[in-house]
Amino acid sequence: MAIVHIVSFKFKDLVPAEEVKAACERMLALGTNCIHPTSQKTYIKVIGGGKDNSPEGRQHGMTHSFVFQFESVEDRDYYLEKDPAHLDFISTIKDLVEDAHVMDFIPGVF
């Protein structure tokens, strides 16, 4: 059962564009940097990410979004709670991000 993981960031206004870009590249690199503890292989499918360009005006300040997919709840939970690459990434962006929104869902489950 796949889990889709959506993360949106609101970067602080004074963060230079090149730092935002580097942080986004590090976020996308989690797809290759996160290694499953049992299989010793990558386990995150990166669907994509990028800067908001919606004309609807309902972003609530979020500027960048990313979509990942995990094969199981256990994989998602490992990523969130224990994966060293993910935990390191969080430490690198905590001073750059003003706010974050996260949503996970199982496709087709309503």
Side-chain angles (χ1 to χ4, degrees):
M1 147 180 58
I3 303 288
V4 177
H5 179 71
I6 303 170
V7 178
S8 296
F9 294 132
K10 177 182 182 181
F11 286 94
K12 294 178 181 177
D13 291 336
L14 297 179
V15 176
E18 58 273 5
E19 284 188 50
V20 170
K21 182 177 184 214
C24 292
E25 289 170 351
R26 288 193 308 275
M27 177 74 168
L28 292 173
L30 290 172
T32 55
N33 293 341
C34 291
I35 304 298
H36 193 278
T38 304
S39 70
Q40 295 300 304
K41 296 180 181 181
T42 59
Y43 67 102
I44 301 169
K45 179 179 179 183
V46 176
I47 309 288
K51 186 175 181 179
D52 171 66
N53 67 8
S54 174
E56 294 181 271
R58 302 194 50 88
Q59 299 84 339
H60 302 285
M62 297 296 118
T63 57
H64 297 74
S65 292
F66 304 88
V67 181
F68 291 177
Q69 184 172 316
F70 300 94
E71 289 302 314
S72 68
V73 170
E74 294 79 15
D75 285 353
R76 187 266 324 264
D77 292 350
Y78 173 78
Y79 168 80
L80 295 177
E81 299 166 4
K82 297 178 183 177
D83 190 296
H86 178 242
L87 297 175
D88 182 59
F89 170 75
I90 291 170
S91 73
T92 70
I93 65 158
K94 65 180 180 182
D95 294 331
L96 307 177
V97 173
E98 183 175 320
D99 197 7
H101 292 174
V102 179
M103 288 188 66
D104 295 351
F105 66 91
I106 297 170
V109 175
F110 299 99

